[in-house]
Amino acid sequence: MKKQNYLKRFIPYYKPHLKLFIIDMVCAFIISVFNLVYPYITKEIINTYVPQKMLYFMLAGLGALLALYVIKAVLNYVLQYWGHLVGVRMQADMRSELFRHLQKLPFSYFDENKTGVIMSRMTNDLFQISELAHHGPEDVFLSVITIIGAFIVLLTINVYLALIVFACVPVIVVCAVVLRKRMKKVSAEVRVAQGEINADIESAVSGIRVSRAYGAEAHECEKFEKGNAEFVRAKSGQYKVMGQFFSSMNFFMDFLYFAVLLAGGLFFYYNKINAGEFTAFVLYITTLISPIRTLVSIYEQIQDGMTGFKRFCDIMDAKPEKENANALNPDILRGEIVFDNVTFGYGSDEGRKVISGFSMKIPAGKTIALVGPSGGGKTTICHLIPRFYEVDSGTITVDGYPIKDLNRGVLRKNIGIVQQDVFLFNGTIRENIAYGDFSASEEQIIEAAKKANIHDYIMGLPDGYDTNVGERGVKLSGGQKQRVSIARAFLKNPPVLILDEATSALDNATEMLIQDALAHLSEGRTTLVVAHRLSTVKNADEIIVVTPEGIAERGTHEQLIAQNGMYKELYEYQFKNL
């Protein structure tokens, strides 16, 4: 995408805050005009009021100058407060838009992008964008008006002296353009390094119990230091280019002031200008240098802001889950699921297919169990039914509807999932159970918890259902988290259940209690159970043994035992020591 398109995409974010933005720009314009008035009043005082002893006019001029200072202070307050408010509100708009877009991205996007990098784009990058949104237009506008105004006034004082001074400006511009590309490159490198550090921190903090348990603190520190060193290298390169940029710009600013003193002094010596004009000229050059310095200093901010906006656009340009415009919206599904010659492989490993030519039928209201060695694609099959991923070929249907023709929201509303890796949100137990149905009453939430055999435990907590579970449910045990997750499924009450190792984190006593609840929940519903613990699937209507090569065996528990095949071997291995 070309750069000018980024600018075209950036400008519309001002529209909701146009009133404040216009006020900000008007204040900046008035301040720039005031900056041009000071030297003129000074020139009049030196040339006219003091020599002619016009005390009244001198005091009036000074009074006008003081009034301008007061008004300027008020305008600067508006710039700082309302101007920053524009930036913050635009940042909030972008963050909301980005967050909503993330909710629509396919699972494959999160497989390929680190959480810490995404977080960096939502925080650091958007902060830089908000700073650009405020300071960029305001400072550039104020500086350009001041420079143009100063140049015009300088021409009225002495054309030749003004042209001598402004002959230095093209040199400054050329120098800035030459260093611009290098600034852009190193700024992008710093952003990448910052995102990687955030990702390392997020991973290390989330997995700190694992690293401590395995005594891997030194390894984590070493891994972090590598990323930290890369950040220092990238930042050092950025500061090196910045040093070259700012030292060059500051030298030209100083040389510009030197040129004024030299040329102005000579003009004054040869009576080309008088003392007041010489003083005014020096003051106007000081006024001129200030906006040039501002333009030089804001360049880094503009570069950082536009780099951040580009990274923001990178996420916004990621394609969301495709929804068929004519998607079907059946009110409820019975739950007959058919896999017809389905092939699927994850995007990062396109050469290897997790399942290939897979066919399976799950009759409505039946319980089907998937068992077998790891890597056979059992969890992948569970992910394909609610369209977390799109199949490469073949068809999956529910009640005869190809799932690609069904509205995703409707499809997923009819599916309840309890996974092996339980995720609880940082909030209360009530909030986490309510994910099953946000419109549920307190009584329904409690009933779901009772069915999941977690109610008594919750009531024993000091805050009951208002107990905060901590980040990822860290304050609960594995079995407790699993039962909260099961309570969600009870509350959702869907026609299709997917239980992916749903009782894996439960002790034997708790497992026995929960199995009856799960059996009750499965009645009249299509249930797909993935289990390595074969004792949990003995009563399934059909058990399917899935291997990396496909379906090896299928039948009831008794039928598979009688076949003396893989299932019997797995079953006897699990129970040989009992």
Side-chain angles (χ1 to χ4, degrees):
M1 183 178 293
K2 296 181 180 179
K3 180 186 174 183
Q4 56 266 31
N5 288 340
Y6 286 118
L7 183 60
K8 186 177 180 181
R9 293 176 66 172
F10 183 66
I11 291 175
Y13 286 101
Y14 283 101
K15 188 175 180 179
H17 317 289
L18 191 58
K19 184 177 179 179
L20 279 182
F21 179 71
I22 291 175
I23 292 174
D24 190 53
M25 291 296 100
V26 170
C27 290
F29 176 77
I30 295 174
I31 289 173
S32 64
V33 172
F34 283 0
N35 289 337
L36 297 174
V37 173
Y38 305 148
Y40 177 80
I41 294 177
T42 303
K43 179 175 76 71
E44 290 300 309
I45 290 174
I46 293 175
N47 273 354
T48 306
Y49 305 151
V50 173
Q52 297 181 22
K53 297 183 178 181
M54 302 170 66
L55 181 61
Y56 174 79
F57 287 99
M58 183 183 74
L59 293 176
L62 291 173
L65 201 59
L66 180 60
L68 292 180
Y69 287 149
V70 173
I71 297 173
K72 183 181 176 183
V74 174
L75 295 176
N76 274 319
Y77 169 79
V78 173
L79 285 184
Q80 289 299 313
Y81 176 54
W82 284 3
H84 276 102
L85 203 58
V86 170
V88 169
R89 289 179 178 178
M90 289 176 63
Q91 179 186 8
D93 291 345
M94 290 183 187
R95 183 175 291 115
S96 295
E97 183 179 353
L98 184 60
F99 187 82
R100 288 194 299 269
H101 186 67
L102 285 170
Q103 300 300 311
K104 300 176 183 178
L105 292 180
F107 279 43
S108 57
Y109 180 86
F110 300 98
D111 294 341
E112 301 295 332
N113 292 274
K114 299 177 181 177
T115 302
V117 173
I118 296 174
M119 290 171 57
S120 177
R121 297 192 181 188
M122 291 196 71
T123 53
N124 298 341
D125 287 354
L126 289 184
F127 172 75
Q128 294 294 345
I129 294 171
S130 73
E131 287 294 288
L132 170 62
H134 166 220
H135 291 291
E138 171 194 303
D139 287 352
V140 170
F141 180 70
L142 192 152
S143 299
V144 170
I145 293 297
T146 303
I147 291 172
I148 294 174
F151 180 56
I152 293 173
V153 174
L154 288 175
L155 288 174
T156 64
I157 296 175
N158 189 285
V159 174
Y160 299 106
L161 186 56
L163 292 176
I164 291 173
V165 170
F166 274 86
C168 300
V169 174
V171 179
I172 298 173
V173 173
V174 170
C175 181
V177 171
V178 169
L179 292 173
R180 177 180 178 279
K181 290 184 179 180
R182 297 178 62 189
M183 288 276 285
K184 180 179 180 180
K185 180 181 178 182
V186 295
S187 179
E189 290 176 354
V190 168
R191 295 285 181 180
V192 172
Q194 181 69 64
E196 291 297 326
I197 282 184
N198 287 348
D200 289 343
I201 293 174
E202 193 274 339
S203 176
V205 172
S206 299
I208 195 165
R209 286 166 179 78
V210 176
S211 63
R212 291 277 182 86
Y214 284 87
E217 297 94 333
H219 171 75
E220 287 298 319
C221 289
E222 181 182 352
K223 187 168 67 172
F224 175 79
E225 288 304 326
K226 288 182 180 178
N228 206 22
E230 178 61 24
F231 174 76
V232 171
R233 185 202 65 77
K235 201 68 177 175
S236 297
Q238 183 186 38
Y239 285 137
K240 180 179 180 180
V241 177
M242 283 173 56
Q244 296 170 350
F245 184 84
F246 286 109
S247 63
S248 300
M249 294 299 100
N250 286 328
F251 171 76
F252 286 119
M253 297 301 101
D254 294 336
F255 183 80
L256 186 61
Y257 193 75
F258 167 79
V260 170
L261 291 177
L262 175 61
L266 290 174
F267 274 56
F268 177 71
Y269 180 80
Y270 289 108
N271 295 318
K272 301 294 183 182
I273 55 176
N274 56 41
E277 291 172 333
F278 184 29
T279 302
F281 209 95
V282 172
L283 291 175
Y284 273 117
I285 290 301
T286 302
T287 302
L288 180 67
I289 289 176
S290 179
I292 293 179
R293 288 186 186 278
T294 299
L295 290 176
V296 170
S297 63
I298 202 177
Y299 183 79
E300 179 193 3
Q301 190 174 75
I302 292 174
Q303 196 66 63
D304 285 344
M306 291 311 296
T307 300
F309 187 70
K310 179 182 179 298
R311 285 159 58 86
F312 165 81
C313 290
D314 287 342
I315 297 182
M316 295 304 299
D317 289 339
K319 300 298 183 184
E321 290 182 321
K322 294 180 181 178
E323 192 67 79
N324 188 339
N326 299 315
L328 302 174
N329 296 276
D331 293 332
I332 192 168
L333 298 172
R334 294 183 299 107
E336 181 183 82
I337 302 172
V338 177
F339 281 70
D340 183 13
N341 199 32
V342 173
T343 297
F344 172 78
Y346 292 99
S348 59
D349 191 10
E350 294 182 1
R352 177 180 173 273
K353 299 301 180 183
V354 180
I355 56 176
S356 182
F358 183 82
S359 296
M360 174 182 70
K361 180 177 181 180
I362 307 176
K366 299 295 184 180
T367 297
I368 303 299
L370 301 181
V371 301
S374 299
K378 299 184 295 297
T379 295
T380 297
I381 291 169
C382 294
H383 287 169
L384 293 177
I385 295 173
R387 289 184 69 189
F388 290 160
Y389 300 91
E390 299 292 349
V391 300
D392 297 334
S393 62
T395 305
I396 302 175
T397 63
V398 177
D399 293 351
Y401 300 111
I403 61 172
K404 64 182 180 64
D405 294 336
L406 289 172
N407 178 281
R408 275 191 178 84
V410 171
L411 174 65
R412 293 170 183 172
K413 183 180 179 181
N414 284 274
I415 299 174
I417 301 176
V418 181
Q419 295 177 298
Q420 178 181 7
D421 184 16
V422 176
F423 186 94
L424 298 185
F425 294 89
N426 187 11
T428 66
I429 293 176
R430 177 186 291 102
E431 290 169 348
N432 274 279
I433 295 177
Y435 261 80
D437 181 2
F438 287 112
S439 64
S441 65
E442 181 75 5
E443 291 74 19
Q444 290 173 314
I445 291 174
I446 292 174
E447 182 62 24
K450 287 180 178 178
K451 291 179 179 178
N453 196 36
I454 189 71
H455 173 72
D456 291 341
Y457 168 77
I458 295 172
M459 295 308 295
L461 297 171
D463 296 323
Y465 282 84
D466 293 319
T467 300
N468 191 290
V469 301
E471 186 176 9
R472 295 176 181 266
V474 69
K475 295 181 181 180
L476 302 181
S477 70
Q480 290 157 0
K481 288 193 293 185
Q482 198 77 306
R483 281 180 281 169
V484 170
S485 179
I486 292 170
R488 285 179 187 164
F490 274 108
L491 187 63
K492 190 173 186 180
N493 197 24
V496 177
L497 283 173
I498 296 176
L499 306 177
D500 188 358
E501 294 287 353
T503 59
S504 64
L506 304 178
D507 56 74
N508 290 334
T510 304
E511 180 186 347
M512 291 175 64
L513 292 173
I514 206 71
Q515 281 299 329
D516 287 339
L518 287 175
H520 174 68
L521 179 64
S522 300
E523 289 179 2
R525 294 178 174 83
T526 303
T527 306
L528 183 63
V529 183
V530 173
H532 286 101
R533 199 182 299 183
L534 300 185
S535 61
T536 63
V537 299
K538 288 174 60 177
N539 297 322
D541 294 307
E542 185 177 31
I543 299 171
I544 299 176
V545 182
V546 180
T547 69
E549 288 72 37
I551 296 177
E553 300 172 357
R554 63 193 308 164
T556 63
H557 171 74
E558 292 76 14
Q559 290 171 341
L560 293 177
I561 291 293
Q563 288 181 20
N564 292 318
M566 181 182 292
Y567 178 82
K568 182 178 180 180
E569 182 180 340
L570 291 171
Y571 187 81
E572 290 182 343
Y573 177 80
Q574 288 190 13
F575 292 95
K576 66 180 181 180
N577 294 322
L578 296 181

